[in-house]
Amino acid sequence: MVPEAKFGSYYGRPVLKPPTWKTPDVPVYMFLGGMAGAAASMGVLAELTGRPALARVGRFAAAGGAAGGTVFLIHDLGRPARFLNMLRTFKPTSPLSVGSWILAGFGTLTGAAAATEVTGWLTGAGRLARYGAAVLGPAMMTYTAVLFADTAVPAWHEAHRQLPFTFAGSALGSGAGVGLIATPPSQAGPARVMAVAGTAMELVAERRMETRLGLAGEPYQRGRAGRLMRAGRALTAAGALAAAVSGRSRAVSVAAGLGLLAGSLVTRWGVFEAGRQSATDPRYTVVPQRERHAAR
Amino acid sequence: MSNHLSGPVEDVTGQSGYPAGHPPRMGFFTDTSVCIGCKACEVACKEWNLVPESGMDLLGSSYDNTGALGADTWRHVAFVEQVRPRESAPVDLGMPAVGRPGGQEAADADRDVTWLMASDVCKHCTHAACLDVCPTGSLFRTEFGTVVVQEDICNGCGYCVPACPYGVIDIRAGDGRAWKCTLCYDRLRGGLEPACAKACPTDSIQFGPWDELRGRAQQRVDHLRASGVPRARLYGADPDDGVGGDGAFFLLLDEPEVYGLPPDPVVTTRDLPAMWRAAGVAAATAAAVMVAAFLGGRR
Ligand code: SF4
């Protein structure tokens, strides 16, 4: 723990404005987007390696996650009717602009792929759409980390090197989770590997967020954010462990999948809350800036 | 000059695409050493810009019952009460003595109660994070080099709110859109000075071309330091700082954080390339994990 430092402030009031983004909207949007991204890539890889059940699950989870995530994103806007204003322009300096275009492309492709599958029409175009979505999958898994990091919020901004790995790991786990729940264990082998590797990636990145960021890493360990992060870690780790030992057991696979999905959602929530905490307490803004200033 | 994300910029208006011959960059120099805390700026701003009332609260922070800048507060006068060692004997102005209201003397004779007053405002940053992250183009750079929200475009995504390193811009409750100081864009286009500067009775708020104001601010701080106010300093006037200098900068009499200002703000988008690089590596790693899981994994 970093020792409490004395610092000046204006009646203890925050220097920054905390994010006005709502819960559960934003954590759920990030969770669904990440899950959908992993599911899309997983589905196509399953298709190419002869695992039709896993491929199907991946396709529908990708379409559902993208559609659901978009609904939550729109619902979070102060003026939802103006959502399309995001697509009037493309701004490379705004991760939300870049992200909206990624989401729009991914959502269209996964939606088209699911539609061709359900109707049986235009199956060639459907395959192309699936492949396109699979390529965008890893972008879906990580762009939301840049969205958080590109703010003045200390716990998010200072974590800009680690957050993409936390989110990518979390997304791998949740995509694998859907596969574990909805696929016979005989086809879910790769999902089990994804679950274990994703969880390892996430846990290493989270550990770095706590140890390498100085004061900015503290909110991840304190208060509500700390509790959410610990709960997310416990659920994810339990899920990955269960996935590793599930073998041929469908029941254990389903339990593992549920743990991974819950862990992924709770972790996003914890990251969101840590940012809010770090923006609300002027200590996280003033103390590191004062040190940086003094060092110059 | 091609410092698009951070660093000093010669012509911020030109860099935003305005053709040569655009008006000079305009700004505020707020000299807090002559602020008397009358809040005329707060009132004039609300009146001119039709900013909704922001509540009638007693905040228990000296004479400041406004609190902070926000969607409905575009000028905010801070009041800081401090007890410090007496620096010099009070000067007798030969005025009829009425005495101070009770409770405003320091407990011991060699210390003084001092008041710092400062009118805060949007900094109209050279590198404005709010503008950088806005996904709709609602936030834009005007021909005067200032930063303004177009309320008919804003969709209330709220990204500008946590992006601002000064905690200025916010979402208006019940409206859903982001609002902040426009540096009276409408008045500027009509050749008038902003309402707050017009109303300020002591010229604590000075409006003018940015270059000129910076020269004036430097003179003022030199003068104060030479006449025995070593704590006087400029804040936001340095184009080499983390935001490339503020269009609205200040002369302060104490550390910035005492007034609720960040001591060393940096525009978050300075690190945007590093963020996307990290995300790219993370995405590639995730892709490699998936490919390996399918090619190498057991069934
Ligand atoms: S102070 Fe904040 S709201 Fe004002 S221009 Fe800078 S980033 Fe934008």
Side-chain angles (χ1 to χ4, degrees):
Chain A
M1 280 281 160
V2 188
E4 302 278 337
K6 273 209 178 323
F7 71 101
S9 81
Y10 185 65
Y11 299 99
R13 289 190 193 135
V15 172
L16 304 173
K17 290 275 180 288
T20 50
W21 295 325
K22 294 189 277 279
T23 52
D25 300 32
V26 166
V28 171
Y29 145 69
M30 295 203 161
F31 157 74
L32 286 175
M35 183 277 289
S41 305
M42 180 177 78
V44 163
L45 285 165
E47 180 183 333
L48 296 176
T49 54
R51 296 172 172 92
L54 188 59
R56 227 178 126 72
V57 168
R59 275 172 228 157
F60 285 111
T70 308
V71 169
F72 278 98
L73 172 62
I74 294 176
H75 185 253
D76 186 59
L77 297 176
R79 291 283 171 110
R82 293 187 182 170
F83 167 70
L84 285 175
N85 282 6
M86 301 247 200
L87 303 178
R88 281 171 73 245
T89 172
F90 174 75
K91 258 179 87 174
T93 60
S94 169
L96 189 52
S97 174
V98 176
S100 295
W101 282 103
I102 294 176
L103 181 61
F106 182 84
T108 310
L109 292 171
T110 52
T116 57
E117 173 133 4
V118 171
T119 58
W121 300 337
L122 298 170
T123 45
R127 182 178 313 129
L128 277 182
R130 287 201 295 277
Y131 290 174
V135 171
L136 282 179
M140 285 289 291
M141 296 162 75
T142 46
Y143 88 80
T144 48
V146 181
L147 196 59
F148 271 173
D150 194 22
T151 60
V153 173
W156 292 345
H157 183 86
E158 297 308 318
H160 65 261
R161 284 174 208 285
Q162 293 85 18
L163 264 186
F165 291 89
T166 304
F167 280 20
S170 187
L172 280 172
S174 57
V178 177
L180 287 165
I181 291 172
T183 318
S186 60
Q187 288 192 26
R192 291 192 283 271
V193 178
M194 275 169 64
V196 173
T199 301
M201 186 165 159
E202 180 188 333
L203 294 184
V204 169
E206 278 176 29
R207 177 87 199 127
R208 291 191 174 166
M209 277 155 60
E210 292 183 357
T211 54
R212 295 200 178 170
L213 307 186
L215 195 57
E218 195 186 88
Y220 293 103
Q221 302 159 67
R222 284 209 176 170
R224 214 171 118 81
R227 285 195 296 279
L228 286 165
M229 292 304 288
R230 283 189 293 277
R233 236 175 351 243
L235 285 163
T236 305
L241 206 65
V245 302
S246 59
R248 305 264 147 195
S249 161
R250 187 69 192 262
V252 180
S253 288
V254 170
L258 290 175
L260 288 161
L261 286 172
S264 180
L265 176 60
V266 172
T267 299
R268 309 293 170 127
W269 209 304
V271 172
F272 181 82
E273 184 61 26
R276 223 191 44 76
Q277 279 173 212
S278 78
T280 316
D281 185 341
R283 195 162 62 99
Y284 297 115
T285 312
V286 172
V287 173
Q289 290 193 19
R290 189 44 53 224
E291 279 164 9
R292 189 164 71 203
H293 198 71
R296 265 210 304 271
Chain B
M1 262 304 181
S2 61
N3 284 328
H4 277 284
L5 293 178
S6 63
V9 177
E10 202 88 26
D11 173 11
V12 71
T13 321
Q15 180 170 286
S16 307
Y18 289 91
H22 58 72
R25 182 178 186 183
M26 303 305 276
F28 282 132
F29 165 42
T30 306
D31 176 0
T32 72
S33 69
V34 292
C35 177
I36 55 171
C38 69
K39 303 189 196 177
C41 50
E42 286 192 16
V43 176
C45 173
K46 285 235 180 202
E47 290 280 337
W48 179 265
N49 293 300
L50 300 174
V51 180
E53 58 102 14
S54 32
M56 286 270 276
D57 298 320
L58 291 176
L59 301 180
S61 42
S62 186
Y63 283 80
D64 176 10
N65 293 307
T66 306
L69 293 174
D72 296 336
T73 304
W74 300 355
R75 269 278 178 190
H76 163 238
V77 181
F79 288 74
V80 182
E81 293 180 24
Q82 297 172 318
V83 179
R84 346 172 131 258
R86 175 161 292 177
E87 276 170 7
S88 58
V91 181
D92 186 356
L93 296 176
M95 301 280 273
V98 210
R100 286 184 290 192
Q104 296 187 1
E105 300 86 13
D108 38 324
D110 55 352
R111 308 218 296 165
D112 260 339
V113 173
T114 64
W115 256 357
L116 303 177
M117 286 159 273
S119 179
D120 195 9
V121 70
C122 167
K123 316 300 177 289
H124 296 276
C125 309
T126 301
H127 296 287
C130 61
L131 192 163
D132 284 348
V133 304
C134 175
T136 62
S138 165
L139 273 150
F140 78 112
R141 176 101 37 203
T142 72
E143 64 271 37
F144 304 105
T146 56
V147 179
V148 173
V149 189
Q150 301 171 83
E151 66 265 19
D152 53 339
I153 305 289
C154 175
N155 70 2
C157 76
Y159 204 173
C160 50
V161 177
C164 170
Y166 299 96
V168 168
I169 194 165
D170 206 355
I171 298 287
R172 180 174 290 168
D175 171 279
R177 291 171 296 176
W179 297 86
K180 73 170 190 71
C181 160
T182 69
L183 217 137
C184 284
Y185 186 38
D186 52 349
R187 291 176 63 97
L188 260 57
R189 298 188 81 177
L192 299 171
E193 68 177 320
C196 56
K198 179 90 187 164
C200 180
T202 65
D203 263 351
S204 170
I205 300 175
Q206 301 177 30
F207 164 77
W210 193 57
D211 292 336
E212 196 185 308
L213 287 178
R214 281 176 52 223
R216 229 189 280 168
Q218 194 56 51
Q219 272 180 10
R220 174 68 181 158
V221 76
D222 292 343
H223 171 78
L224 281 174
R225 283 164 169 269
S227 47
V229 190
R231 286 178 290 125
R233 77 209 61 198
L234 295 182
Y235 176 79
D238 180 2
D240 288 309
D241 70 14
V243 298
D246 292 326
F249 53 91
F250 301 81
L251 185 151
L252 303 179
L253 297 176
D254 203 339
E255 303 291 357
E257 58 266 34
V258 168
Y259 299 88
L261 296 164
D264 188 27
V266 172
V267 58
T268 178
T269 30
R270 182 194 67 182
D271 299 322
L272 195 54
M275 294 176 207
W276 282 120
R277 263 199 305 278
V281 176
T285 310
V289 163
M290 289 189 280
V291 170
F294 278 89
L295 296 187
R298 291 163 294 141
R299 279 213 159 203

